[in-house]
């Protein structure tokens, strides 16, 4: 017998006036699982979003940031007062900046200069040394990841956390996010789907759910335009040249990262979600659920709806609500910016009232 959505929600989180957590790091995780009523009713399925925007640093990347630093500490790679360096499109850097403040490390972030100003400003307000560099492909030696690695190698007591290829990233989700989802759904889950950038979230959660369910849970990858991962999965391993682009930040990929490599052959399938659908869903979720989410979160919900439709009524699907819209609002709610991307007409007429910025 299926457990009701209300039981899922009410059992997701418990607080006591007599309990507390020890600092920022201990506050990461144990996020609620939100029943998405509108899209669930439309599909006849139960669709849930893991509310990773409720992590103390505001995104799913808090888990990876903490996992990467803890791994370095446990292996003796960094000492008190050291420097943590990363190449990031934003949220991992924000998570690392928070963790570094809490643990007393310096934080240096290299990032593509295409990222939102909100992210850059927040990183600097958190005390990080932010170094925006031109956005070039990974195989270019001036890619932001390579610049981060070189900088860390040239100073003492420093680590490059290497979020894309350091599998401590995926392991953080295997140890925390996956078990939380399994517990919150009481093991009654048919499918999990999300987009991926580093591959850590998808690989770590996917591995745990597959193992725990005896491979009964299907794990799917959702891709933004411009990423090669859907073609890689559907062609059984053919890596094509990356082309095109997406408004989403921090997801999509032109290669198989070491994190994703730990699980990519166990994926049940993959498909691409156009930006137009992500934007429409972003506004729909704000209107119907009161959820103010970023574009990658909206893409994940579009993917969850598609997966529910593939599975049929009665299925239970879980996805990740990566972060809120606060770090992107100057773009996602700007009429001018949306029009410049040809996406202003993707918003249903009755929802255009939310695009309040000129």
């Amino acid at each position: 017998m299926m457990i009701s959505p209300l039981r899922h929600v009410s059992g997701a989180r418990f607080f006591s006036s007599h309990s507390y957590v020890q600092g920022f790091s201990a506050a990461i995780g144990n996020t609620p699982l939100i029943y998405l009523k509108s899209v669930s009713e439309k599909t006849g399925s139960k669709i849930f979003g893991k509310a990773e925007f409720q992590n103390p640093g505001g995104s799913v990347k808090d888990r990876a940031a903490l996992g990467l630093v803890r791994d370095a500490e446990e292996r003796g790679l960094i000492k008190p007062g050291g420097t943590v360096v990363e190449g990031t499109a934003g949220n991992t850097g924000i998570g690392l900046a928070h963790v570094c403040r809490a643990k007393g490390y310096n934080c240096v972030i290299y990032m593509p200069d295409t990222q939102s100003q909100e992210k850059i400003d927040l990183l600097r307000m958190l005390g990080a040394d932010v170094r925006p560099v031109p956005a070039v492909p990974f195989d270019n030696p001036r890619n932001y990841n390579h610049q981060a690695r070189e900088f860390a190698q040239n100073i003492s007591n420093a680590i490059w956390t290497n979020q894309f290829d350091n599998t401590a990233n995926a392991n953080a989700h295997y140890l925390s996010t996956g078990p939380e989802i399994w517990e919150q759904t009481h093991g009654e889950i048919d499918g999990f789907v999300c987009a991926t950038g580093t591959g850590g979230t998808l690989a770590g959660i996917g591995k745990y759910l597959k193992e725990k369910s005896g491979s009964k849970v299907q794990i799917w990858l959702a891709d933004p335009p411009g990423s090669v991962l859907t073609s890689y999965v559907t062609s059984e391993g053919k890596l094509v040249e990356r082309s095109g682009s997406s408004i989403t930040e921090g997801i999509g990929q032109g290669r198989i990262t070491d994190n994703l490599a730990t699980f990519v052959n166990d994926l049940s399938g993959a498909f691409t979600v156009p930006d137009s659908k992500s934007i429409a869903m972003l506004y729909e979720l704000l209107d119907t659920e009161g959820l103010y989410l970023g574009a990658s979160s909206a893409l994940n919900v579009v993917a969850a709806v598609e997966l529910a439709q593939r599975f049929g009524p009665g299925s239970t699907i879980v996805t990740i609500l990566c972060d809120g819209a606060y770090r992107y609002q100057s773009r996602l709610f700007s009429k001018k910016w949306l029009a410049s991307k040809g996406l202003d007409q993707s918003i249903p007429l009755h929802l255009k009232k939310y695009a309040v910025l000129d």
Side-chain angles (χ1 to χ4, degrees):
M1 182 176 73
M2 290 301 297
I3 295 168
S4 74
L6 289 178
R7 180 177 169 190
H8 279 274
V9 174
S10 64
R13 227 180 194 189
F14 296 94
F15 295 109
S16 168
S17 60
H18 302 292
S19 65
Y20 63 92
V21 297
Q22 189 67 46
F24 179 91
S25 297
I28 295 173
N30 293 313
T31 56
L33 192 66
I34 300 177
Y35 174 68
L36 302 177
K37 184 174 183 290
S38 177
V39 291
S40 294
E41 291 179 347
K42 287 180 180 179
T43 60
S45 301
K46 293 180 177 66
I47 297 176
F48 296 90
K50 183 77 164 136
E52 291 299 286
F53 59 87
Q54 288 200 11
N55 281 305
S59 85
V60 65
K61 295 297 187 177
D62 286 3
R63 296 186 192 253
L66 180 59
L68 291 165
V69 173
R70 276 184 174 167
D71 177 70
E73 290 174 331
E74 290 169 359
R75 293 196 288 147
L77 300 178
I78 190 169
K79 302 294 189 296
T83 301
V84 173
V85 187
E86 183 55 278
T88 169
N91 279 334
T92 300
I94 291 167
L96 284 170
H98 277 287
V99 171
C100 286
R101 292 280 62 75
K103 288 178 171 285
Y105 297 123
N106 301 308
C107 184
V108 177
I109 300 297
Y110 284 82
M111 67 190 309
D113 58 9
T114 55
Q115 299 308 295
S116 66
Q117 191 61 43
E118 288 96 336
K119 282 183 178 179
I120 296 172
D121 292 342
L122 177 55
L123 281 164
R124 287 175 172 156
M125 284 186 279
L126 289 169
D129 177 356
V130 185
R131 304 182 178 199
V133 297
V136 295
F138 184 80
D139 58 7
N140 187 312
R142 304 314 295 161
N143 177 274
Y144 63 101
N145 291 290
H146 304 322
Q147 293 198 51
R149 181 191 67 245
E150 291 169 6
F151 179 80
Q153 289 173 342
N154 288 314
I155 61 174
S156 61
N157 193 18
I159 58 165
W160 171 48
T161 45
N162 189 16
Q163 61 165 327
F164 289 90
D165 296 311
N166 183 344
T167 56
N169 177 348
N171 192 51
H173 291 284
Y174 178 81
L175 295 174
S176 66
T177 328
E180 288 173 29
I181 291 171
W182 183 260
E183 181 180 350
Q184 289 169 321
T185 59
H186 301 270
E188 296 178 355
I189 172 175
D190 299 298
F192 174 82
V193 62
C194 74
T196 184
T198 67
T201 302
L202 182 65
I205 293 173
K207 181 181 178 183
Y208 184 87
L209 294 178
K210 278 274 194 177
E211 289 180 0
K212 196 68 176 179
S213 69
S215 295
K216 292 181 180 178
V217 178
Q218 291 193 26
I219 311 297
W220 287 65
L221 183 153
D223 237 4
S227 176
V228 305
L229 299 181
T230 291
S231 64
Y232 180 88
V233 174
T234 56
S235 68
E236 298 183 343
K238 182 180 179 181
L239 197 60
V240 300
E241 185 176 348
R242 189 169 188 172
S243 63
S245 63
S246 170
I247 63 162
T248 57
E249 297 183 17
I251 58 174
Q253 192 53 262
R255 66 186 181 96
I256 304 301
T257 66
D258 286 358
N259 278 290
L260 184 57
T262 65
F263 191 75
V264 68
N265 293 329
D266 295 310
L267 287 168
S268 301
F271 51 86
T272 297
V273 176
D275 283 346
S276 57
K277 287 189 176 181
S278 296
I279 283 292
M281 181 61 74
L282 185 150
Y283 279 76
E284 180 182 342
L285 289 167
L286 176 58
D287 188 65
T288 60
E289 305 287 349
L291 291 172
Y292 189 61
L293 301 171
S296 57
S297 299
L299 182 152
N300 282 346
V301 177
V302 173
V305 169
E306 180 164 337
L307 195 59
Q309 291 169 337
R310 292 180 184 224
F311 282 27
S315 58
T316 297
I317 309 297
V318 176
T319 192
I320 298 293
L321 306 181
C322 313
D323 63 6
Y326 304 97
R327 295 168 184 173
Y328 321 94
Q329 60 190 16
S330 64
R331 297 179 179 186
L332 298 177
F333 293 89
S334 164
K335 295 187 284 287
K336 182 178 180 180
W337 187 85
L338 289 166
S340 74
K341 300 297 181 181
L343 293 170
D344 52 322
Q345 298 306 311
S346 298
I347 306 170
L349 186 62
H350 70 289
L351 301 182
K352 287 182 179 289
K353 60 185 179 182
Y354 295 114
V356 298
L357 302 178
D358 292 327

